[in-house]
Amino acid sequence: MKVYLDNNATTIVDPHVFAEMEPFFVQKYGNPNSLHAFAGETHPHIKTAMEKIYAGIRANREDSVVITSCATESNNWVLKSIYFEYILTGRKNHIIISEVEHPSIIATAKFIESLGCKVTYLPINAEGLIEAQSVRDAITDKTAIVSVMWANNETGAIFPVQEIGEICKEYNVLFHTDAVQAIGKIPVSVQEFNVDYLTFSAHKFHGPKGVGALYMKKGKELTPLLHGGSQMGGYRSGTLNVPGIIGMGKAIEQAIDALDFEMSEIRELRDNFEDALLEIPDTFVVTPRKYRTPNTTLISFRGIEGESMLWDLNRAGIGASTGSACASEDLEANSVMEAIGADEDLAHTAIRFSLSRYTTQEELDYTLEVVKKAVKRLREISSSYAYTPSGHQSGLTAH
Ligand code: 7TS
């Protein structure tokens, strides 16, 4: 059996999404910005897709939604543009991000820090959550922007973006949120919350890879990262990714339609799966479920290296993760577990299971059995997991 439980890394393209995209490779390939009939075959479809994308995040017509190549680009764009407009010009000298942002925010913040910008990295608490008060405490009259993700990719923790947005408004500070892990999992509306910029990415909600977007509130437009032609209103030059945009439109429409299912059925599948995993001795889940997206479980198995567990899972046809795929080649401890202050051993034992609307009960039953066998095997050979005479109570040996 093959089981895919790494949907926070990427998702399967929904067949309906693929069907909508397919004609735009070989049959209708005109550049929508050209002035001939070939363009006429694609242009109206881009318009319809953009309407779906606006509707998906409840953007107003006057706002801008700019299609990019990925969320990484959108995140780079926001911070680098803020650097050009506010930091380089000396108007402001400070930005605030959380210490558990995706690397595309952290690495960009570190880059502009190296150019002279002050950066505050907000901590998370023992439950893996950001406290809105910490944003208030960090803001100075030199703060240009606060960037805090809507939901964390590792734990699924939902951060208090509504409150943070209000605080930013109060202090007249720009607010960006990376909503990559929120769209399609929980309701996301830029109308109800005070959000100036919002990042999202099609491949996280059953759309194609290589299509991201940045929402910019009316009057809060940014300096382009890519200069060139007039595509996307001049905010992001480059020939439009026609199939990609059409795919993103269909995917976000479907994700919104499936939201109730995600928040009820998928949540229930996840909860039951997590309950069963937690029956294994010495397992820990940090963030309470009520503060989490419905599809994610980050669970630690004391005494077991995350990578060894992944190996066993992979051999049984199961795809999970020890954290972000972007960071998982370097065998570092899980960054969120470290930020929580988990001891070094525990930080290396976290496994992320992330479900999608395609996940089935049967797949989770199978995964549970494989996990149980892997835990038994790996703890028996673990140098850091000491068995008590009773056989399953344990503690960590001192290092
Ligand atoms: N922001 C968040 C919150 C993410 O989770 C990711 C991808 C990105 C940005 C980057 O998106 P992209 O469109 O540039 O690919 N996160 C993960 C992950 O958790 N495991 O693999 C990729």
Side-chain angles (χ1 to χ4, degrees):
M1 190 171 195
K2 272 174 80 180
V3 183
Y4 185 71
L5 292 174
D6 199 11
N7 287 281
N8 286 6
T10 198
T11 56
I12 183 175
V13 174
D14 183 287
H16 296 104
V17 170
F18 181 60
E20 291 238 343
M21 292 171 68
E22 212 178 354
F24 296 93
F25 288 96
V26 176
Q27 293 151 29
K28 302 177 185 181
Y29 50 84
N31 184 331
N33 290 57
S34 300
L35 296 174
H36 44 59
F38 294 90
E41 285 179 346
T42 53
H43 195 271
H45 297 278
I46 291 288
K47 199 164 168 286
T48 310
M50 288 305 295
E51 280 164 10
K52 291 178 183 171
I53 296 168
Y54 270 68
I57 57 165
R58 307 209 44 226
N60 291 311
R61 266 180 189 282
E62 306 79 54
D63 301 332
S64 301
V65 177
V66 176
I67 303 301
T68 61
S69 64
C70 54
T72 297
E73 181 187 329
S74 304
N75 286 345
N76 268 260
W77 179 19
V78 175
L79 294 191
K80 288 178 180 166
S81 182
I82 293 295
Y83 175 76
F84 291 134
E85 286 178 37
Y86 291 87
I87 315 296
L88 193 58
T89 56
R91 288 159 70 193
K92 307 272 177 175
N93 70 1
H94 177 226
I95 66 165
I96 299 171
I97 68 167
S98 84
E99 61 177 355
V100 291
E101 294 300 306
H102 184 264
S104 53
I105 287 287
I106 304 244
T108 311
K110 288 205 185 300
F111 173 64
I112 66 171
E113 195 172 23
S114 76
L115 301 177
C117 177
K118 290 194 182 119
V119 182
T120 299
Y121 299 87
L122 300 173
I124 49 171
N125 66 20
E127 292 188 326
L129 299 168
I130 304 252
E131 286 163 24
Q133 180 63 33
S134 69
V135 176
R136 190 184 289 280
D137 295 343
I139 288 179
T140 73
D141 57 0
K142 286 289 194 184
T143 307
I145 195 166
V146 172
S147 178
V148 172
M149 65 208 319
W150 199 304
N152 182 265
N153 47 315
E154 312 281 0
T155 55
I158 300 169
F159 293 148
V161 282
Q162 182 160 22
E163 261 178 284
I164 296 173
E166 287 311 311
I167 293 169
C168 290
K169 198 172 178 181
E170 192 183 321
Y171 290 92
N172 206 13
V173 171
L174 295 168
F175 179 44
H176 167 245
T177 183
D178 174 345
V180 163
Q181 297 291 346
I183 290 187
K185 294 170 187 155
I186 53 173
V188 170
S189 160
V190 293
Q191 275 181 27
E192 265 127 80
F193 291 9
N194 174 54
V195 171
D196 296 308
Y197 309 106
L198 180 133
T199 292
F200 53 113
S201 186
H203 74 102
K204 306 289 184 174
F205 47 85
H206 302 288
K209 292 163 189 59
V211 203
L214 184 71
Y215 159 86
M216 299 187 283
K217 188 184 271 178
K218 182 177 184 253
K220 304 289 172 72
E221 293 83 0
L222 296 169
T223 302
L225 194 61
L226 304 188
H227 291 88
S230 61
Q231 295 93 346
M232 287 285 148
Y235 289 121
R236 203 277 184 184
S237 300
T239 302
L240 300 187
N241 175 356
V242 175
I245 295 170
I246 288 167
M248 186 188 235
K250 181 70 179 170
I252 202 162
E253 185 182 57
Q254 294 205 145
I256 302 307
D257 284 349
L259 197 56
D260 285 345
F261 179 79
E262 185 87 23
M263 288 176 32
S264 51
E265 255 93 331
I266 299 305
R267 180 185 294 277
E268 200 181 327
L269 281 187
R270 189 277 312 268
D271 288 354
N272 293 340
F273 178 58
E274 190 173 300
D275 284 342
L277 289 174
L278 286 169
E279 277 175 24
I280 301 170
D282 284 317
T283 48
F284 307 87
V285 172
V286 170
T287 305
R289 282 179 198 165
K290 64 176 172 179
Y291 299 121
R292 255 192 285 149
T293 48
N295 78 317
T296 307
T297 291
L298 180 73
I299 183 161
S300 287
F301 299 90
R302 199 176 271 281
I304 297 175
E305 279 282 338
E307 283 73 22
S308 315
M309 171 67 92
L310 279 194
W311 172 260
D312 277 23
L313 293 178
N314 188 44
R315 270 197 321 194
I318 300 163
S321 136
T322 49
S324 171
C326 327
S328 60
E329 271 173 25
D330 38 24
L331 291 193
E332 282 175 6
N334 182 285
S335 57
V336 177
M337 295 296 288
E338 276 192 323
I340 288 164
D343 61 62
E344 176 73 358
D345 292 291
L346 212 51
H348 277 276
T349 64
I351 297 281
R352 179 181 74 183
F353 296 102
S354 47
L355 286 58
S356 83
R357 60 177 190 256
Y358 287 91
T359 306
T360 64
Q361 183 65 58
E362 198 192 357
E363 290 175 340
L364 294 176
D365 291 345
Y366 170 72
T367 303
L368 183 63
E369 288 318 306
V370 173
V371 170
K372 281 183 181 162
K373 277 193 204 127
V375 167
K376 189 166 180 294
R377 186 182 89 78
L378 294 167
R379 280 188 176 159
E380 273 166 15
I381 59 170
S382 168
S383 59
S384 65
Y385 191 83
Y387 275 84
T388 63
S390 70
H392 43 253
Q393 285 283 308
S394 75
L396 280 177
T397 54
H399 279 264

